[in-house]
């Protein structure tokens, strides 16, 4: 037999039937341990069986249908791309995008699940299995090396139908077509069937025999057929394991499998450059004046996201707009956003509504999360004004899936103005619609909603500026600590003053520069070669935040809360400036 | 109220705790410090069980020792429907008895390996582990065929029996004895099914599982 090139092939790692709901299968390929789980949406994840935090086996973890949770410290990893979505020890922070388990290629064929180190490879195509219904027989782990097992399997003999007695002659032929499989065909007068044995190279000296029978027997003969083959294989295993000490077992080289990275992100680090291309897969009116878009990757898979995340859409006319992802954790193969038509806006929403169509390709940023959701609250109160429901919808779905206590209040002009109204009905939770209220009535309702502060309560507010301001003031009056009141503005409507001029020293790069009146700190930094990421560039989203080491910032954003402003240790470089003549930044 | 002479980390005591919880029988735990004090071998405890083993129950003055005897007694006395110990069906009862016997084997191998590693017992660890793998191969195949028959439990009944309770701790704690269950995918599914039963309680070393979608 020629030496196999393991890298060019996919190998079976589980039977499809092993991946029962909310379960994690433990497997191994070329010495590498694998955790394999099927999400509720059907996607099969094949991951390195190791939490990136402390090395705990992920195959011991909890498959909650959309995320895999490590048993050790509760790190959660997303379906599809394996990005870490939540770290319980840092409940208020979005995990860095680089936190990701190693993921491997996956394919399904002949009732088996296949993996390997090449994304382009496909499972072997076996003629005997192509033309008929097949039956996956019971797999059998064997403590013997692959070549020995393949030799043994070539001697396998069986009865082509269960009805045949053992005294009827059966002709058997083996065909070693693929370096990791053997096909054995048994024929007798009037009946023929084939068993294809795929051998999973688990480790040096250990493999798993995964047999597939073609054609599948009649339903009445299924069990007796399964038992016939299980018995015959058991006998073969006993021989193989007994024979092992006299064999000179040549262990297969243990290949180092390179984890597959999802395409698209390209590694563009900073600035406001688009990082990903997506295609509009679906566009529909999800409420009065609100259009929803579903975006799918042009190549590869979408980077993961957490509830509260937004992305930049780079429009064909050069405008850059921010939209929150409305996806719950169940929906990982598309990004779903909603755009409200703003007739008096800068034209971005008009363009999205009128000129972006299904099939169009858009440049976007990867999702960023400056509005992260804690999952350790005793009670979470979500307050949405108008289109501000979008990030809160993602939060509500996450809280509902985890069975946490939450309530969602939607303020809108009418029921027809509530985006994804029909989805709200399907969410198990307390949802209250407040429609057609005047500003005074809205204030009154907000007062009722935020009144009872209790420890471990958190509230998340997103909506028009005045509404957020009212909710924050009412919450403060009701004794809510600032750290428990989270908010996200659409835009920064406060007056801005860029008349100051000041000196900026960059502590890490050892440079200093001068910001003149009319020039933003962010632009000054970029001109000096510091490529800081940014998104809204008006002081609302928090992407361009920098740490202040010395000096007094002149905050002009709407992202930081009062105590964060007073602390003076962080600032948004797009709009904020300096009150002191000099700032030292940790850049 | 039933008293259970119990040690939290004992696989055998866990069998009794599990069934008491699943049958919702009020009981009181009397901790016996198995390790490091070896209280089960003390003169005081040997008055309760001269063999110096736990678990032992005291049901209103009726003293009963040995985990499997306790399982049978509790099931007969407190399970009106007789699902857990199906005395009304001779074949089923035979199956249950044979798997209880099998569980003596897993206790002597899988749980013995755990005693070596966690509690310093001087057994032949490799022999214990090899013996456990021999039994787990048989049990995994058995449970796999049960699934093919559309059944979920060790005996061929629709509901779990004391045989499942007798086998569960030795299997679920096997990794503590250095016995990986990677080669036993059907056993890994079966332990999850048990963990989803109403009244299930865990113990240190038994990790929680995800609930099924409703």
């Amino acid at each position: 037999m020629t030496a196999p090139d393991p890298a060019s092939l996919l190998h079976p790692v589980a039977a499809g039937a092993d991946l029962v709901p909310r379960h994690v299968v433990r497997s191994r390929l070329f010495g590498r341990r694998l955790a394999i789980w099927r999400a509720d949406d059907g996607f099969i994840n094949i991951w390195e069986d190791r939490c990136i935090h402390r090395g705990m086996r992920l195959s011991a973890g909890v498959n909650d249908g959309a995320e895999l949770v490590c048993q050790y410290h509760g790190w959660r990893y997303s379906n599809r791309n394996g990005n870490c979505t939540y770290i319980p020890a840092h409940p208020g922070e979005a995990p860095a995008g680089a936190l990701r388990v190693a993921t491997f290629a996956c394919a399904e064929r002949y009732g088996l699940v296949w993996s390997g180190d090449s994304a382009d490879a496909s499972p072997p195509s076996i003629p005997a299995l192509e033309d008929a219904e097949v039956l996956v027989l019971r797999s059998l782990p064997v403590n013997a090396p692959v070549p020995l097992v393949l030799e043994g399997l070539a001697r396998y003999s069986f009865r082509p139908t269960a009805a045949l007695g053992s005294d009827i002659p059966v002709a058997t032929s083996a065909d070693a077509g693929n370096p990791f499989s053997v096909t054995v065909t048994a024929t007798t007068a009037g009946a023929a069937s084939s068993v294809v044995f795929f051998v999973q190279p688990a480790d040096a000296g250990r493999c798993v025999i995964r047999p597939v029978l073609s054609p599948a027997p009649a339903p009445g003969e299924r069990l007796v057929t399964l038992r016939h083959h299980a018995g015959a294989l058991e006998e073969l295993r006993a021989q193989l394991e007994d024979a092992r000490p006299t064999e000179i077992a040549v262990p297969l080289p243990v290949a180092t499998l390179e984890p597959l990275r999802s395409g698209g992100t390209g590694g563009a680090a900073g600035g406001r450059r688009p990082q990903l291309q997506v295609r509009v897969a679906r566009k529909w009116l999800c409420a009065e004046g609100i259009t929803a878009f579903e975006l799918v990757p042009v190549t590869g898979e979408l980077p993961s996201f957490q509830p509260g995340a937004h992305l930049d859409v780079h429009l064909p006319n050069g405008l850059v707009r921010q939209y929150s992802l409305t996806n719950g954790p169940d929906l990982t193969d598309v990004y779903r956003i909603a755009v409200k038509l703003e007739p008096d806006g800068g034209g971005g929403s008009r363009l999205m509504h009128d000129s972006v169509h299904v099939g169009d390709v858009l440049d976007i940023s990867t999702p960023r999360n400056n509005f992260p959701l804690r999952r350790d609250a005793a009670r979470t109160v979500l307050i949405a004004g108008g289109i501000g429901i979008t990030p809160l919808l993602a939060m509500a779905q996450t809280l509902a899936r985890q069975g946490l206590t939450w309530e969602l209040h939607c303020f809108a002009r009418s029921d027809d103005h509530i985006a994804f109204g029909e989805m709200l009905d399907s969410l198990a939770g307390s949802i209250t619609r407040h429609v057609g209220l005047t500003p005074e009535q809205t204030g009154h309702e907000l007062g009722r909603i935020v009144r009872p502060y209790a420890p471990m309560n958190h509230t998340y507010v997103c909506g028009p500026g005045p509404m957020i301001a009212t909710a924050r003031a009412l919450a403060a009056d009701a004794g809510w600590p600032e750290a428990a009141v989270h908010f996200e503005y659409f835009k920064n409507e406060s007056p801005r003053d860029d008349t100051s001029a000041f000196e900026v020293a960059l502590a890490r790069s050892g440079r200093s520069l001068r910001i003149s009146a009319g020039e933003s700190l962010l632009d000054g930094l970029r001109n000096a070669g510091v490529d800081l990421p940014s998104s809204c560039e008006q002081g609302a989203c928090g992407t361009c935040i920098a740490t202040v080491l010395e000096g007094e910032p002149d905050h002009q954003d709407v992202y930081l809360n009062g105590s964060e402003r007073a602390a003076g240790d962080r600032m948004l470089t797009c709009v904020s400036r300096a009150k002191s003549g000099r700032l030292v930044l940790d850049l | 109220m039933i008293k259970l002479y119990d040690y939290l980390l004992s696989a055998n005591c866990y069998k009794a705790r599990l069934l008491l919880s699943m049958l919702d029988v009020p009981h009181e735990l009397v901790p016996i410090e198995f390790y490091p004090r070896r209280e089960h071998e003390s003169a005081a405890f040997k008055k309760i069980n001269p063999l110096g083993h736990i678990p032992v129950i005291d049901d209103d003055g009726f003293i009963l020792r040995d985990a499997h005897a306790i399982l049978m007694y509790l099931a007969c006395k407190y399970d009106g429907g007789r699902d857990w110990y199906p005395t009304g069906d001779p074949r089923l009862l035979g199956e249950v008895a044979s798997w209880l016997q099998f569980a003596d084997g897993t206790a002597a191998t899988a749980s013995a390996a755990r005693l070596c590693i966690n509690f310093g017992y001087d057994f032949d660890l490799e022999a214990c582990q090899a013996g456990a793998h021999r039994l787990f191969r048989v049990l995994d195949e058995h449970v796999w065929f049960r699934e093919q028959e559309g059944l979920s439990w060790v005996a061929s009944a629709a509901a779990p029996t004391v045989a499942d309770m007798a086998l569960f701790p030795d299997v679920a704690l096997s990794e503590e004895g250095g016995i990986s269950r990677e080669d036993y995918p059907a056993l890994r599914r079966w332990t999850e099914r048990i963990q989803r039963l109403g009244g299930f309680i865990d113990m240190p070393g038994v990790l929680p599982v995800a609930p099924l979608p409703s």
Side-chain angles (χ1 to χ4, degrees):
Chain A
M1 188 188 303
T2 51
D5 175 12
S8 63
L9 301 168
L10 292 190
H11 300 274
V13 290
D18 290 342
L19 301 178
V20 294
R22 307 295 173 98
H23 182 72
V24 189
V25 166
R26 179 177 292 179
S27 187
R28 201 185 291 234
L29 188 61
F30 293 117
R32 179 168 299 233
R33 294 165 187 273
L34 302 172
I36 307 172
W37 61 284
R38 197 194 291 268
D40 287 358
D41 69 0
F43 189 87
I44 298 174
N45 296 279
I46 304 183
W47 294 356
E48 185 175 26
D49 192 7
R50 184 177 187 285
C51 177
I52 56 172
H53 177 221
R54 288 281 180 246
M56 174 82 180
R57 286 198 199 178
L58 291 172
S59 59
V62 171
N63 165 4
D64 87 348
E67 292 174 325
L68 189 64
V69 190
C70 178
Q71 297 271 10
Y72 207 10
H73 299 100
W75 285 37
R76 305 181 78 96
Y77 297 96
S78 164
N79 178 26
R80 286 173 204 277
N81 47 30
N83 269 98
C84 179
T85 54
Y86 189 67
I87 302 174
H90 303 283
E93 290 162 37
L99 296 178
R100 185 179 189 279
V101 293
T103 60
F104 299 103
C106 175
E108 275 189 283
R109 186 178 277 178
Y110 308 136
L112 300 175
V113 177
W114 303 74
S115 191
D117 61 352
S118 168
D120 309 321
S122 48
S125 175
I126 307 289
L129 300 179
E130 291 295 336
D131 309 329
E133 191 87 346
V134 301
L135 175 66
V136 177
L137 305 175
R138 181 169 185 261
S139 65
L140 208 65
V142 186
N143 292 319
V146 173
L148 186 66
V149 171
L150 288 169
E151 267 177 50
L153 288 170
R155 299 193 303 268
Y156 188 82
S157 71
F158 66 102
R159 295 184 315 236
T161 73
L164 283 177
S166 55
D167 53 337
I168 293 176
V170 172
T172 312
S173 64
D175 156 39
N178 167 300
F180 287 90
S181 76
V182 177
T183 302
V184 179
T185 302
T187 46
T188 183
S193 72
S194 297
V195 183
V196 181
F197 297 96
F198 298 103
V199 178
Q200 168 188 349
D203 212 337
R206 236 166 56 81
C207 53
V208 183
I209 302 172
R210 298 195 177 274
V212 180
L213 174 69
S214 172
E221 288 182 2
R222 189 172 164 277
L223 263 176
V224 67
T225 305
L226 288 172
R227 287 196 190 278
H228 170 60
H229 286 282
L233 267 183
E234 190 73 58
E235 244 173 74
L236 180 69
R237 172 163 77 176
Q239 290 169 20
L240 290 169
E241 294 189 343
D242 278 350
R244 199 163 67 116
T246 60
E247 289 281 328
I248 303 160
V250 183
L252 275 171
V254 174
T256 312
L257 300 188
E258 278 304 312
L260 296 173
R261 296 283 164 189
S262 60
T265 58
R272 208 188 189 190
R273 287 186 296 276
Q275 291 144 308
L276 191 61
Q277 283 197 323
V278 288
R279 192 183 306 281
V280 177
R282 206 177 142 212
K283 176 186 177 187
W284 73 104
L285 208 62
C286 68
E288 189 68 38
I290 301 175
T291 300
F293 295 86
E294 272 188 7
L295 311 174
V296 298
V298 170
T299 58
E301 284 188 357
L302 293 174
S304 78
F305 55 89
Q306 308 104 27
H310 75 271
L311 45 81
D312 295 346
V313 175
H314 293 252
L315 295 169
N317 63 359
L319 288 175
V320 182
R321 288 289 179 266
Q322 288 73 48
Y323 299 108
S324 291
L325 290 175
T326 66
N327 300 44
D330 296 313
L331 193 63
T332 48
D333 53 352
V334 302
Y335 291 152
R336 189 181 283 169
I337 59 173
V339 180
K340 184 187 174 202
L341 183 62
E342 304 276 7
D344 306 325
S349 65
R350 169 67 65 192
L351 195 82
M352 287 292 288
H353 273 246
D354 295 348
S355 306
V356 174
H357 302 291
V358 170
D360 286 354
V361 171
L362 294 174
D363 285 336
I364 63 170
S365 71
T366 54
R368 291 190 196 91
N369 195 356
N370 304 319
F371 193 34
L373 172 71
R374 296 182 70 113
R375 304 192 201 179
D376 61 349
R379 173 171 158 263
T380 304
V381 182
L382 308 173
I383 303 173
I387 192 64
I389 193 167
T390 49
L392 304 182
L393 201 55
M395 293 181 180
Q397 292 172 79
T398 304
L399 295 165
R401 166 168 275 285
Q402 273 185 247
L404 300 169
T405 303
W406 59 280
E407 57 191 63
L408 170 62
H409 297 271
C410 305
F411 289 83
R413 265 196 280 166
S414 78
D415 278 333
D416 293 340
H417 286 80
I418 297 177
F420 304 110
E422 76 294 342
M423 185 202 286
L424 290 179
D425 297 330
S426 70
L427 279 179
S430 163
I431 294 165
T432 314
R433 293 169 165 84
H434 309 266
V435 295
L437 304 185
T438 64
E440 292 71 34
Q441 289 169 322
T442 300
H444 181 73
E445 283 298 302
L446 287 172
R448 284 194 328 117
I449 293 164
V450 299
R451 187 159 298 147
Y453 175 70
M456 304 291 288
N457 278 220
H458 283 265
T459 185
Y460 295 80
V461 193
C462 185
M467 178 187 163
I468 296 178
T470 308
R472 287 172 66 193
L474 287 166
D477 289 346
W480 287 70
E482 274 193 319
V485 180
H486 313 264
F487 51 88
E488 186 172 71
Y489 284 85
F490 304 144
K491 55 189 171 202
N492 184 358
E493 291 168 307
S494 55
R496 267 170 271 166
D497 172 7
D498 60 359
T499 55
S500 60
F502 52 99
E503 197 82 33
V504 180
L506 307 181
R508 274 194 242 181
S509 45
R511 274 178 300 171
S512 65
L513 46 128
R514 174 133 199 102
I515 305 295
S516 48
E519 180 192 23
S520 80
L521 174 53
L522 182 65
D523 285 341
L525 289 167
R526 288 211 174 127
N527 291 339
V530 180
D531 198 7
L532 212 57
S534 71
S535 176
C536 77
E537 301 197 349
Q538 52 168 296
C541 77
T543 303
C544 64
I545 200 159
T547 299
V548 181
L549 301 174
E550 272 180 52
E552 189 186 351
D554 171 17
H555 295 292
Q556 302 196 28
D557 63 279
V558 290
Y559 177 76
L560 299 175
N561 67 25
S563 47
E564 288 165 340
R565 280 172 166 237
D569 55 356
R570 293 188 302 164
M571 66 184 293
L572 298 194
T573 54
C574 61
V575 292
S576 297
R577 307 180 71 81
K579 282 187 177 155
S580 52
R582 183 167 180 268
L583 283 178
V584 181
L585 299 181
D586 189 19
L587 288 171
Chain B
M1 196 191 298
I2 295 185
K3 265 196 246 178
L4 171 64
Y5 293 91
D6 175 64
Y7 179 62
L8 177 64
L9 300 181
S10 154
N12 274 331
C13 293
Y14 182 37
K15 297 177 186 183
R17 289 199 305 271
L18 262 180
L19 191 61
L20 282 166
S21 171
M22 294 211 180
L23 294 175
D24 201 17
V25 178
H27 59 280
E28 176 195 345
L29 298 179
V30 182
I32 299 295
E33 193 181 306
F34 177 87
Y35 182 86
R37 246 174 74 202
R38 305 182 75 81
E39 197 180 345
H40 56 296
E41 290 172 354
S42 68
F45 186 74
K46 280 194 173 167
K47 285 185 188 144
I48 298 163
N49 180 4
L51 297 174
H53 293 160
I54 45 172
V56 174
I57 58 166
D58 178 345
D59 190 2
D60 204 13
F62 173 63
I63 308 274
L64 188 65
R65 63 173 183 247
D66 294 327
H68 297 169
I70 292 170
L71 292 179
M72 288 183 211
Y73 170 77
L74 291 175
C76 286
K77 182 157 181 200
Y78 295 101
D79 175 23
R82 291 292 158 88
D83 286 333
W84 286 99
Y85 195 64
T87 48
D89 183 333
R91 274 182 76 160
L92 215 48
L93 192 62
E95 284 180 27
V96 170
S98 109
W99 287 110
L100 286 176
Q101 187 74 27
F102 188 92
D104 282 340
T106 57
T109 53
S111 281
R114 186 171 162 266
L115 288 176
C116 290
I117 291 175
N118 284 3
F119 303 99
Y121 273 65
D122 185 24
F123 300 139
D124 180 343
L125 178 60
E126 279 183 28
C128 290
Q129 291 170 335
H133 280 297
R134 268 196 302 279
L135 294 176
F136 281 11
R137 279 184 170 183
V138 173
L139 187 57
D140 184 78
E141 181 180 18
H142 176 74
V143 171
W144 189 87
F145 274 105
R146 280 280 183 261
E147 289 179 343
Q148 299 303 316
E149 292 162 348
L151 296 168
S152 297
W153 312 110
V154 166
S156 59
T161 64
V162 293
D164 296 285
M165 295 303 102
L167 290 162
F168 175 79
D170 294 340
V171 174
L173 296 166
S174 76
E175 310 257 345
E176 291 190 359
I179 300 146
S180 165
R181 292 196 293 283
E182 179 181 320
D183 282 347
Y184 313 112
L187 283 188
R188 296 183 81 245
R189 292 191 292 272
W190 167 75
T191 55
E192 285 195 0
R193 287 197 289 274
I194 289 176
Q195 291 189 248
R196 290 188 179 114
L197 288 171
F200 178 83
I201 48 167
D202 60 16
M203 69 164 273
V206 175
L207 298 168
V209 299
L212 287 178
S214 47

